[in-house]
Amino acid sequence: MIGAVTEALSRALALLVGDPQADRAVPPTGFTARLTIFTAGAMAFLAVFAIALSLATGRLADRWSAELARTATLRISAPADQADAQIRAALTVLDQTPGVASARALTDDEERALLEPWFGPDLPLASLPIPQLIEIVETAEGYDPIGLRARLQAEVPGAVLDDHTRWRTPLVAAANRLRSLGWVALLLIAGATAAMITLAAQSALSANAQVIRVMRLVGARDTYIARAFVRRFTLRAALGAAIGSALGVLAVMALPDGGDAGGFLTGLGFQGAGWLVPLLIPPLAAIVAFFATRAAALRTLRSQA
Amino acid sequence: MIELQDVAYSYGGAELFTGLSLTLAPGSFQFLTGPSGAGKTTLLKLCYGDLRATGGVVSLFGMDAATMGRDDVALARRRIGVVHQDCQFLDHLPVAENIALPLQVAGRADEAAGDLDELMAWVGLRGQAAQLPPQLSGGERQRAALARAVITSPDVIIADEPTGNVDWEMSQRLLSLLVELNRMGKTVLIASHDMNLIRTAKSQVSANVLRLKDGRLQTGVAL
């Protein structure tokens, strides 16, 4: 097993170091080379965004599931003189409810922060009939929302329980769907890269039909002939992908940071080790190009006499 | 070395020849003549595995050509030097590199150093070593192709009209190269319809003349 891996590695290395003389057998072609580098670069650029999208929506889905699954909100709308009493009553009920880990009334500052995006800072909270919010944190087992609602209705008439499940589920589903779409896009990008490299390699092979005939005549094996083409396209794809990924990462870095208020859209990007993921794109592009060109070359060679 | 037994070749439903047998013994010198279109080039291509017989058995160095894979054919080609009627080269590489190409693809490039210079001088192309093939004249191309065919010191040399587009003086010069190679023990098979050339050759070496006509191969043809 280790031997096979070592051999594969040394073969891959030998391929990249290459046989400069074998390479010379195929005339250099500036135009297709530039086209291949450009397509590989464009695909890598798109791949960076597909990866960023997948990672960001993945984070989003995880965060929403984790944060929302364990919290609920109790909203108390009561005349100002009864508010404090109702809050105390509600907190008492919640303390006695199995499955509730903790319950805490939000402070005025916290409520002001929640409303700030809509009403701006310095909202005179006290002069407005704003309902009081109580944040409930569930235990792992969770509580029984129907039982809790029934009890609250009897003891705290102004309380409305919002257990978040109603709007949490579709959001998490949407985020998960977006993540899947990101991966599908990545697969499509890889497939399109393979297809384009195959087309470019095939055009190079047919443009060099005479080279192939001469090489066969003087006793060159198919793998020797294929190598010159394979190495060329592998290196071009890797170079193009490196440029494209670098530009893609720069573009992601240049996305404006919307801060806490930005939410989903500005969350598109990488975090921590995620920044290393785009480093995988050039080697993956090279692998795709290697196999696409090799298959095209050997197929073309076999179809000739 | 190369043996054809009861070989047939047909394409597009038309039979070019059938029941044809030929043995290229080591060190022999043979001419293949016959009218145009009789299948001389096809017969040569069967001998170096470029075409497959549609009937009978072609054996190359003891292997049945019908069962040889592409790599086997490549290896057999390294023992057969071929000079085509229309010599093709890698047009973007200088003549010297083209001539050394068979060593290159066989992984024997290190052998080229001394031999190449000598061989270039021998075919009179020393001055053209750095030129590109498209810059060569017809005769120079033929000589370059011959040099390329013999650089690996192959056992067999197969040439298809090697004097096709060169003048008489050059024909004789190419012929003398082939005769000299034959004296060094190489098997030589030349397709040609140049009777003067064949007569000249017969005066220098004991050459057998084959004649392919109407799908039949006659051996020991008298001129």
Side-chain angles (χ1 to χ4, degrees):
Chain A
M1 179 64 194
I2 292 173
V5 171
T6 321
E7 193 192 343
L9 270 179
S10 69
R11 277 175 61 187
L13 212 64
L15 179 89
L16 291 183
V17 174
D19 176 353
Q21 208 56 41
D23 266 17
R24 281 171 57 80
V26 182
T29 43
F31 188 59
T32 43
R34 283 197 293 278
L35 279 183
T36 313
I37 292 172
F38 171 74
T39 29
M43 285 299 168
F45 190 83
L46 296 176
V48 170
F49 283 94
I51 292 175
L53 176 76
S54 294
L55 293 181
T57 49
R59 278 200 305 274
L60 205 62
D62 291 346
R63 201 170 66 219
W64 282 347
S65 314
E67 284 179 4
L68 301 183
R70 300 279 156 249
T71 61
T73 315
L74 197 63
R75 195 173 75 235
I76 295 174
S77 306
D81 53 331
Q82 292 173 26
D84 282 351
Q86 289 218 10
I87 288 168
R88 271 196 304 280
L91 286 173
T92 313
V93 170
L94 288 169
D95 275 349
Q96 294 163 355
T97 308
V100 172
S102 66
R104 169 183 83 83
L106 292 191
T107 63
D108 282 357
D109 281 347
E110 285 171 320
E111 294 212 348
R112 199 175 289 121
L114 282 177
L115 293 171
E116 196 180 292
W118 285 271
F119 295 105
D122 304 326
L123 182 72
L125 211 60
S127 64
L128 291 170
I130 300 291
Q132 180 67 48
L133 298 178
I134 295 176
E135 186 189 61
I136 304 168
V137 178
E138 297 172 37
T139 62
E141 295 78 40
Y143 60 90
D144 168 23
I146 298 168
L148 182 60
R149 274 207 185 92
R151 214 181 141 196
L152 283 169
Q153 207 163 22
E155 300 184 25
V156 193
V160 176
L161 178 67
D162 178 1
D163 70 355
H164 298 183
T165 326
R166 204 160 22 90
W167 55 279
R168 173 183 79 212
T169 315
L171 274 181
V172 172
N176 278 326
R177 185 65 58 82
L178 263 178
R179 168 163 52 180
S180 315
L181 277 179
W183 293 124
V184 169
L186 212 54
L187 283 180
L188 288 176
I189 288 170
T193 308
M196 278 184 296
I197 299 272
T198 302
L199 288 176
Q202 237 148 20
S203 97
L205 286 158
S206 45
N208 287 295
Q210 177 174 334
V211 168
I212 293 171
R213 267 199 308 279
V214 170
M215 301 281 277
R216 281 295 293 174
L217 183 71
V218 301
R221 293 189 210 215
D222 284 352
T223 46
Y224 184 93
I225 302 170
R227 210 180 298 151
F229 290 95
V230 168
R231 177 166 181 268
R232 207 167 275 211
F233 280 97
T234 303
L235 290 179
R236 282 174 195 166
L239 174 67
I243 297 170
S245 326
L247 292 176
V249 169
L250 286 178
V252 170
M253 285 169 80
L255 281 176
D257 181 9
D260 293 339
F264 163 70
L265 256 184
T266 52
L268 188 67
F270 298 104
Q271 278 181 9
W275 285 104
L276 298 177
V277 176
L279 285 181
L280 295 175
I281 296 175
L284 285 177
I287 290 170
V288 167
F290 175 87
F291 285 107
T293 316
R294 191 180 156 83
L298 294 181
R299 195 172 51 240
T300 305
L301 287 168
R302 268 196 296 273
S303 72
Q304 294 178 348
Chain B
M1 309 220 118
I2 296 176
E3 208 174 343
L4 280 66
Q5 281 173 1
D6 210 17
V7 163
Y9 188 81
S10 53
Y11 62 88
E15 204 159 59
L16 197 55
F17 45 71
T18 178
L20 187 149
S21 294
L22 169 67
T23 302
L24 296 185
S28 62
F29 197 114
Q30 321 215 37
F31 277 103
L32 176 62
T33 64
S36 304
K40 296 194 295 290
T41 301
T42 303
L43 181 54
L44 296 187
K45 284 187 171 180
L46 289 173
C47 291
Y48 60 87
D50 202 23
L51 290 176
R52 298 214 164 169
T54 48
V57 177
V58 176
S59 78
L60 307 181
F61 306 106
M63 282 180 85
D64 182 354
T67 64
M68 288 169 80
R70 289 177 61 83
D71 279 354
D72 295 326
V73 172
L75 293 180
R77 294 260 173 90
R78 295 179 188 177
R79 302 176 64 184
I80 307 173
V82 180
V83 182
H84 265 180
Q85 206 167 349
D86 57 329
C87 322
Q88 290 189 330
F89 298 94
L90 302 185
D91 287 342
H92 62 289
L93 290 184
V95 173
E97 277 189 55
N98 266 286
I99 291 175
L101 192 63
L103 287 176
Q104 191 66 55
V105 304
R108 292 160 54 189
D110 46 328
E111 296 173 30
D115 293 352
L116 181 61
D117 210 37
E118 207 177 314
L119 187 61
M120 300 280 293
W122 194 57
V123 293
L125 286 177
R126 204 175 228 163
Q128 284 81 6
Q131 287 184 8
L132 296 180
Q135 297 172 307
L136 298 184
S137 71
E140 286 169 338
R141 287 174 76 85
Q142 298 273 17
R143 281 183 282 154
L146 182 60
R148 185 180 65 186
V150 303
I151 193 161
T152 54
S153 189
D155 302 322
V156 182
I157 294 154
I158 293 176
D160 192 359
E161 304 281 0
T163 59
N165 44 25
V166 296
D167 57 29
W168 174 241
E169 196 188 337
M170 186 57 70
S171 303
Q172 282 185 300
R173 202 157 145 194
L174 286 172
L175 178 69
S176 63
L177 292 176
L178 289 164
V179 167
E180 203 166 323
L181 287 164
N182 179 246
R183 288 194 181 126
M184 289 156 66
K186 311 293 182 199
T187 308
V188 179
L189 173 62
I190 303 171
S192 176
H193 50 237
D194 185 342
M195 289 305 155
N196 285 330
L197 187 79
I198 298 175
R199 272 187 211 102
T200 313
K202 289 193 83 152
S203 69
Q204 298 172 25
V205 71
S206 75
N208 179 33
V209 179
L210 308 160
R211 184 173 168 80
L212 183 62
K213 193 187 175 192
D214 301 330
R216 306 206 60 79
L217 187 70
Q218 297 170 262
T219 60
V221 176
L223 293 175

